[in-house]
């Protein structure tokens, strides 16, 4: 089955009871048993729920994986992966990643004696010098949030295999429409399904997808034992959102290109970060591992003024000033004071998150309106 067909039919079949085309919302906590253990495969909805299972098979189908798991948020999904580790273990991660992920790693898991190395991975070989016998996980985002750096998934996968280290890719920015990390050798794919997979800014959800039965069993154990599951109503909304992922992403990519190109010619703009530019340091890798370049664009304004950047985002009318990304509507954010405020300023600035950095989640409106909005706010 090809990708566009999978968004609509992947892992889905009409409901067995009445043939309903959309999976019913099984809004129940528990299931009747005829005798202890005598049930139809469902005992308690933290462990299994038919609506959640329908979504979990849609997740695995989109990412070419065998097993999918749905969590109450993207961070809950990351939390579940980190719970595979034990005190003394080490993690190598990118130095540019979502501020909430950084906060989870440094303020929750460091307390449990897990050590993190945050490093630049423009060149994947940089990873090897941080690997030792305690290294258990390599965690990356690509494209990264918010600098849109690109990391070579196949190259990192080769290193992780050589050293028998688990390799996880946060695929939130690319989505499986553009990039399928399991096919490139990753062990775990993670999503903030809150973003493009849901697509309508109305559900918080996380996803993990894997191929290996043992890893799947370990993650399922954490999902059930820690209990950060997603509810059936939210799973239904996600299933509905996924059905248009391919057409939404096509337009996000077109509009992303138009906006990035416009910004790159504006006299008040200093730098534009978008992997589709030939001048992007890892454009060739992006071209090889992605099918297009997505709808996320970051830029800085000349003079690097905090006040100017704030004024600019406040003047926008069609772009809404808000956290999050990946919905049909365009959003603008100021990472230094919003999504990445939990990263210390000095650490943040080393990776390029300057006071003047603005991040755009380019939606699927008419591109002319988006350009007019940016033009007005910048001028
Ligand atoms: O918000 P939640 O569903 O828990 O997902 C966390 C998360 C994980 N990974 C990436 C790459 C993310 O972008 C996020 C959430 N990001 C935002 C809310 C944001 O505005 O960047």
């Amino acid at each position: 089955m090809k990708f566009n067909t999978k968004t609509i039919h992947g892992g889905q079949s009409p409901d067995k009871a009445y043939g309903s085309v959309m999976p019913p919302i099984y809004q129940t906590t528990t299931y009747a048993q005829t005798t202890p253990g005598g049930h139809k495969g469902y005992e308690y909805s933290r462990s299994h729920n038919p609506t959640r299972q329908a979504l979990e098979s849609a997740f695995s189908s989109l990412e070419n994986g065998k097993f999918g798991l749905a969590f109450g948020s993207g961070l809950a999904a990351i939390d579940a992966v980190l719970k595979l580790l034990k005190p003394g273990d080490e993690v190598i991660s990118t130095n540019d990643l979502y501020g909430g992920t950084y906060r989870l790693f440094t303020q929750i898991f460091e307390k449990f004696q897990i050590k993190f190395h945050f490093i630049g991975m423009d060149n994947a070989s940089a990873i090897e010098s941080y690997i030792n016998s305690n290294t258990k996980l390599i965690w990356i985002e690509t494209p990264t949030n918010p600098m849109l750096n690109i990391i070579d998934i196949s190259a990192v996968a080769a290193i992780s295999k050589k050293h028998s280290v688990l390799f996880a890719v946060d695929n939130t920015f690319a989505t499986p429409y553009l990039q399928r990390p399991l096919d490139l050798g990753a062990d775990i794919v993670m999503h903030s399904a809150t973003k493009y997979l849901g697509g309508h800014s109305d559900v918080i959800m996380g996803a993990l997808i894997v191929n290996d039965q043992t890893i799947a069993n370990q993650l399922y154990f954490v999902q059930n034992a820690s209990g950060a599951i997603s509810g059936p109503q939210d799973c239904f909304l996600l299933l509905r959102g996924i059905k248009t992922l391919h057409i939404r992403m096509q337009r996000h990519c077109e509009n992303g290109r138009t906006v990035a190109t416009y910004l790159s010619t504006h006299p008040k703009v200093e730098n534009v970060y978008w992997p589709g530019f030939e001048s992007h340091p890892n454009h060739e890798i992006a071209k090889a591992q992605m099918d297009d370049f997505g709808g996320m664009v970051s830029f800085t304004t000349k003079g690097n003024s905090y006040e100017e950047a704030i004024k600019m985002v406040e003047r926008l009318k069609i772009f809404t000033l808000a956290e999050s990304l990946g919905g049909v509507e365009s959003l603008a954010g100021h990472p230094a004071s919003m999504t990445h405020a939990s990263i210390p300023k000095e650490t943040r600035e080393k990776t390029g998150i300057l006071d003047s950095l603005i991040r755009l989640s380019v939606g699927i409106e008419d591109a002319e309106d988006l350009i007019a909005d940016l033009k007005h706010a910048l001028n």
Side-chain angles (χ1 to χ4, degrees):
M1 210 187 278
K2 295 185 76 176
F3 189 83
N4 298 345
T5 312
K6 274 192 190 177
T7 65
I8 295 160
H9 299 288
Q12 311 292 308
S13 47
D15 177 58
K16 287 196 185 72
Y18 298 109
S20 81
V21 168
M22 279 304 284
I25 303 169
Y26 283 93
Q27 191 71 49
T28 185
T29 57
T30 193
Y31 306 82
Q33 307 192 15
T34 48
T35 181
H39 55 73
K40 297 177 177 167
Y42 299 92
E43 282 174 289
Y44 187 58
S45 278
R46 173 163 33 73
S47 313
H48 297 104
N49 174 284
T51 317
R52 192 172 86 227
Q53 280 183 331
L55 175 63
E56 291 176 332
S57 39
F59 283 153
S60 58
S61 158
L62 291 178
E63 286 285 3
N64 295 339
K66 292 203 180 96
F67 309 96
L69 297 104
F71 291 84
S73 69
L75 284 176
I78 302 173
D79 182 83
V81 176
L82 270 287
K83 282 178 177 158
L84 301 182
L85 308 184
K86 59 178 190 334
D89 286 348
E90 297 189 14
V91 179
I92 304 173
S93 179
T94 34
N95 59 2
D96 179 34
L97 77 171
Y98 171 53
T101 308
Y102 180 85
R103 181 178 57 200
L104 177 67
F105 288 176
T106 56
Q107 295 189 43
I108 304 279
F109 283 101
E110 274 185 1
K111 275 199 305 212
F112 298 101
Q113 280 80 50
I114 291 171
K115 185 169 173 185
F116 294 87
H117 303 272
F118 297 100
I119 66 167
M121 294 188 187
D122 268 0
N123 185 346
S125 62
I127 296 172
E128 269 196 298
S129 62
Y130 290 86
I131 294 185
N132 62 48
S133 58
N134 294 326
T135 311
K136 295 289 150 52
L137 174 68
I138 300 172
W139 183 277
I140 71 163
E141 288 175 9
T142 182
T144 60
N145 180 0
M147 297 310 297
L148 286 309
N149 290 315
I150 298 294
I151 297 165
D152 186 336
I153 298 174
S154 305
V156 179
I159 294 168
S160 75
K161 294 240 162 8
K162 181 171 153 199
H163 297 275
S164 305
V165 172
L166 214 52
F167 174 33
V169 179
D170 181 336
N171 203 27
T172 299
F173 270 35
T175 83
Y177 176 79
L178 298 177
Q179 167 177 288
R180 288 148 307 274
L182 295 178
D183 291 350
L184 301 172
D187 299 304
I188 301 175
V189 173
M190 176 265 156
H191 280 277
S192 170
T194 313
K195 309 294 166 12
Y196 290 104
L197 295 186
H200 295 77
S201 304
D202 52 10
V203 183
I204 301 278
M205 175 135 8
L208 296 176
I209 303 103
V210 303
N211 264 324
D212 181 86
Q213 176 84 63
T214 307
I215 303 172
N217 290 349
Q218 290 167 344
L219 290 170
Y220 171 71
F221 178 81
V222 176
Q223 185 195 39
N224 184 46
S226 286
I229 49 141
S230 49
Q233 301 259 2
D234 284 355
C235 291
F236 176 84
L237 284 172
L238 241 293
L239 279 160
R240 183 163 71 168
I242 284 173
K243 287 186 190 288
T244 54
L245 176 67
H246 54 299
I247 48 176
R248 286 186 284 108
M249 284 309 293
Q250 188 183 346
R251 179 67 80 87
H252 281 297
C253 291
E254 285 165 18
N255 284 357
R257 177 184 301 275
T258 306
V259 164
T261 307
Y262 169 74
L263 289 171
S264 69
T265 61
H266 197 286
K268 288 201 176 152
V269 171
E270 180 81 43
N271 284 311
V272 184
Y273 302 94
W274 179 65
F277 289 133
E278 275 177 30
S279 57
H280 184 287
N282 271 344
H283 174 68
E284 287 307 316
I285 296 168
K287 239 170 55 180
Q289 72 187 15
M290 299 172 74
D291 296 324
D292 204 336
F293 304 105
M296 297 301 297
V297 180
S298 294
F299 68 101
T300 49
T301 44
K302 290 217 165 96
N304 189 32
S305 157
Y306 182 93
E307 289 72 26
E308 271 303 311
I310 299 291
K311 266 194 234 154
M312 196 248 150
V313 289
E314 284 174 355
R315 277 196 292 261
L316 289 164
K317 293 205 164 65
I318 293 178
F319 282 86
T320 303
L321 175 60
E323 308 239 354
S324 204
L325 59 110
V328 288
E329 65 290 303
S330 290
L331 301 180
H334 181 249
S337 65
M338 295 168 70
T339 46
H340 293 69
S342 55
I343 303 177
K345 185 173 164 76
E346 202 182 300
T347 313
R348 211 165 59 209
E349 294 199 337
K350 272 194 211 142
T351 58
I353 309 176
L354 302 180
D355 281 350
S356 67
L357 186 79
I358 292 167
R359 189 192 74 182
L360 302 177
S361 171
V362 182
I364 64 171
E365 300 94 337
D366 281 311
E368 292 81 357
D369 290 329
L370 300 179
I371 299 297
D373 197 29
L374 290 167
K375 191 172 185 177
H376 169 259
L378 279 163
N379 294 343

